[in-house]
Amino acid sequence: MFKKFITFACLLILYCSCYKANNTRLPASIPVFSMSLQAGGGINVSGGGNFTDSNNTIKVNDSLPFSMAIYFSLISGNPENYPITCFISGLPAGISLTSPDSVTFKLSSQAGFNFSVATADTGVYTYYVNIRTPDSLKSYPVHVHVLPVPDGAPGLAGTYAGNDPCGHFSIGSVWYTYTAVVSTIPGRPHWISIQNYRGLGDSVIVNAFVTATYPSSPWVGSVSIPLQTVNGYTIYGSGNGGYGIQENEKPWISIYGDTIIHAGDTQTCYLQLTEN
């Protein structure tokens, strides 16, 4: 009787050892896997990309979104009964997670997260990526270096050819061809001046605000013209404006729906500038 009891106890211990408290049966060969880190949207990662490296730092510009992906590569073992869940914790003020809240998958796969840097001051911050498996829960630090808002204005300085369709009732009835000079404004980052705007003369200099949306290669952003009056011309951008700076290509600036009022006459134009 005693031998039967011992045999039953051993079988019970062996049975229980194959299960975790959450009743998830572990595979006979627990998977071994590697993890690598990559950030998206032209964002740089220093530290080699090995996710277990505590020196990993994502460099992101203030007020711009960024994404992060962790790649899980199976080295050995059976991943069938080994689900992995990733989730973020410890986000500092000014940096928020936009999607998703968590990711669950089986090897090999990846976990991707999207973030927003809305109000964080420039500096280095730390958050944690938590990785839960059937047999463990581990947290890994990721550093975020928030850099100043990039200034796209200096890259736009130059001489441009303008070819603008304008009209009183529809854009395109009158075309203006001219040469304009785009310059930065000393002491005013993110601002440019456009001399000989729409071919109205060198004394007509219009100021515009430049926003860098994706400061990479190519640079892409928006250009807006606030309401201003220059030499009797009232000018403002009522539509969408943008610019592009790409390697081995000429910078361009365009504003659809800029309005010009002069001597009681109103015209709506499509500013189209391409660097000479």
Side-chain angles (χ1 to χ4, degrees):
M1 182 65 181
F2 180 75
K3 291 183 178 179
K4 291 182 178 180
F5 174 79
I6 293 297
T7 302
F8 175 78
C10 291
L11 291 174
L12 180 62
I13 293 172
L14 179 62
Y15 175 83
C16 292
S17 67
C18 291
Y19 288 81
K20 298 298 292 178
N22 61 4
N23 293 326
T24 300
R25 184 179 179 85
L26 291 174
S29 176
I30 295 178
V32 177
F33 56 92
S34 63
M35 298 176 290
S36 60
L37 174 66
Q38 181 175 338
I43 308 303
N44 296 321
V45 177
S46 61
N50 182 352
F51 187 67
T52 59
D53 186 346
S54 61
N55 293 320
N56 277 321
T57 300
I58 297 175
K59 296 180 180 180
V60 60
N61 293 110
D62 189 11
S63 302
L64 297 182
F66 73 96
S67 62
M68 178 196 72
I70 308 160
Y71 292 87
F72 294 77
S73 301
L74 178 65
I75 297 176
S76 63
N78 180 12
E80 182 59 29
N81 295 316
Y82 201 79
I84 298 175
T85 298
C86 287
F87 60 96
I88 307 296
S89 65
L91 281 172
I95 300 178
S96 59
L97 180 67
T98 56
S99 66
D101 293 332
S102 65
V103 180
T104 300
F105 55 89
K106 294 182 180 179
L107 297 165
S108 294
S109 189
Q110 71 177 56
F113 299 92
N114 299 306
F115 300 84
S116 171
V117 181
T119 59
D121 294 330
T122 56
V124 179
Y125 302 87
T126 301
Y127 64 86
Y128 294 87
V129 176
N130 306 285
I131 301 176
R132 180 187 291 121
T133 63
D135 57 338
S136 69
L137 173 60
K138 297 180 180 180
S139 296
Y140 298 91
V142 176
H143 307 296
V144 179
H145 187 185
V146 179
L147 302 171
V149 177
D151 187 0
L156 291 174
T159 302
Y160 287 71
N163 190 28
D164 304 353
C166 301
H168 295 280
F169 304 103
S170 62
I171 296 177
S173 57
V174 180
W175 286 75
Y176 295 89
T177 301
Y178 58 96
T179 298
V181 177
V182 175
S183 305
T184 57
I185 301 178
R188 300 183 68 185
H190 312 286
W191 284 86
I192 58 172
S193 65
I194 305 174
Q195 185 179 33
N196 192 28
Y197 186 87
R198 213 214 63 190
L200 296 175
D202 288 343
S203 62
V204 178
I205 300 175
V206 173
N207 296 332
F209 185 75
V210 176
T211 302
T213 305
Y214 293 102
S216 56
S217 180
W219 278 53
V220 178
S222 61
V223 179
S224 60
I225 298 177
L227 178 66
Q228 55 198 286
T229 299
V230 184
N231 281 15
Y233 292 91
T234 298
I235 302 169
Y236 61 93
S238 60
N240 298 319
Y243 74 91
I245 305 173
Q246 188 168 359
E247 187 176 358
N248 298 325
E249 292 190 12
K250 296 179 179 180
W252 55 266
I253 302 170
S254 67
I255 299 177
Y256 186 84
D258 57 311
T259 299
I260 302 172
I261 303 172
H262 177 66
D265 182 44
T266 300
Q267 276 194 336
T268 301
C269 302
Y270 181 13
L271 176 74
Q272 300 180 112
L273 297 176
T274 304
E275 189 177 43
N276 288 329

